Each structure stands twice: as C-alpha cells, then as structure tokens.
Amino acid sequence: MSLLRVVGRPMLASMFLAGGLESVRNPREVAPAAEPVVRPLVDRVPVLPDSTEQAVRLSGAVQIAAGLLLAVGRMPRPAALALAATLVPTTLAGHRFWEEEDPGRRAQQRIHFLKNLSMLGGLLIAADDTGAAPSLLWRSRHAAHDLRRDARLVQRSLRAGARPASAVGRVRAALPR
C-alpha cells in the first residue's frame, strides 16, 4: 500500500470521526438545523427513523463506523461511499449559506459548504481508488477477453487438425476396397 494512502485515509476520516462522535453524543444540538433535510428524506426512505434526533444519531454512527474502516484501510471503497452518502445531507442541513442574511455568516457558511464539497470530492476519489489492484470491472473485461482468445485458439487448432484428417478421409475413399 502506498504511503499516501496510509497517511491520507486517516486524515480524510478524522473529520468524520469527530463529527460522528459529536452527532451521536449530542444530537439535540444538530437536530434543529437537520430538520429541513431529514424530514423529506424520512418521507422518501421508510427505513430511516422518524425522529430527527435519531436520524442524526444514525448518521453519526455511520460516520464513526465508516470513518474507522477508511482510517485503517479496511473496505475503504465502501466506507468512502458511506461517508459520501452521509456528507451530502449533512452539508445541505448545516451549511445553507444561501439562506444567511448577515454577509459575515454567509461567507463563513459558504467556506464550510465548499470545504464539505472538497471532502466529498476526496471521498469519491477514495471510493474509486483500487489501491493499485485492478478493479472487478477491469478483471471481468480481461477475463472475457482471455476466454474469447482461448476459444479462437481452440477453433484454429480444431480446424488445423481437421484438414489433414479430411485429406486422409478423401484418400481412403478413393482407394479401392
């Protein structure tokens, strides 16, 4: 594993571990800001808890679990996708800069929104990172290519073996019995 992955994954995960712990410990502080985003999600996804506080806790728990997995390099691709899935509603709930009236607070919220957008980009890159090992898609394409090549070789060898056998059969048929 590359040194950049060993160092970079825990660094990327650190924000989610800290934020997830805070969400699990104190969901009441985040719940009012999360309400406008959680309510439509709960209406569309029936498996989510009805309570905004419980949804915030669930998101925090996912961030802790996926953050730990990403930090230690276990299942980093699914962990990065899980973190990305929690980051979108968190960003939309917590950094609604377009609703701020005060220019200073608007600028601060815009910075946090863009920071989260940058982290989302890093998570998407981590989710696509195969760690220098070929992806399943690449492996399947190359396996199919190898099978086609092997089938052509078998076909050619059968044809090559059939030609002399065919010639022998013609000669035998022409000989008197």
Side-chain angles (χ1 to χ4, degrees):
M1 182 182 292
S2 125
L3 179 62
L4 292 177
R5 284 185 188 91
V6 170
V7 173
R9 285 178 180 160
M11 291 170 70
L12 184 58
S14 66
M15 186 68 184
F16 296 99
L17 291 170
L21 282 171
E22 187 61 31
S23 293
V24 169
R25 287 182 185 159
N26 303 315
R28 285 190 180 99
E29 292 179 17
V30 182
E35 184 70 30
V37 174
V38 169
R39 217 26 56 211
L41 281 176
V42 167
D43 293 342
R44 290 186 179 101
V45 183
V47 296
L48 291 176
D50 288 336
S51 163
T52 302
E53 286 183 21
Q54 290 301 320
V56 168
R57 264 201 182 108
L58 176 64
S59 176
V62 169
Q63 287 180 346
I64 292 169
L68 285 171
L69 288 172
L70 181 64
V72 298
R74 295 287 180 187
M75 298 190 313
R77 297 175 74 193
L81 283 176
L83 290 172
T86 65
L87 184 61
V88 172
T90 300
T91 302
L92 292 175
H95 304 298
R96 302 169 74 87
F97 68 89
W98 54 92
E99 293 179 351
E100 289 293 335
E101 298 296 327
D102 179 40
R105 286 187 49 82
R106 178 184 290 243
Q108 193 66 24
Q109 287 299 327
R110 186 181 305 117
I111 288 169
H112 287 297
F113 182 88
L114 293 173
K115 172 203 47 121
N116 283 13
L117 193 62
S118 299
M119 288 180 6
L120 179 62
L123 288 169
L124 293 177
I125 290 169
D128 189 48
D129 180 27
T130 61
S135 69
L136 290 176
L137 179 62
W138 185 90
R139 290 182 215 175
S140 64
R141 284 181 181 163
H142 282 271
H145 177 267
D146 291 345
L147 283 173
R148 283 192 300 270
R149 188 190 66 225
D150 291 347
R152 281 192 305 268
L153 288 173
V154 167
Q155 185 181 24
R156 286 180 191 154
S157 66
L158 286 174
R159 284 183 184 160
R163 284 186 191 127
S166 172
V168 168
R170 282 192 304 271
V171 169
R172 273 186 148 169
L175 290 176
R177 290 190 182 202

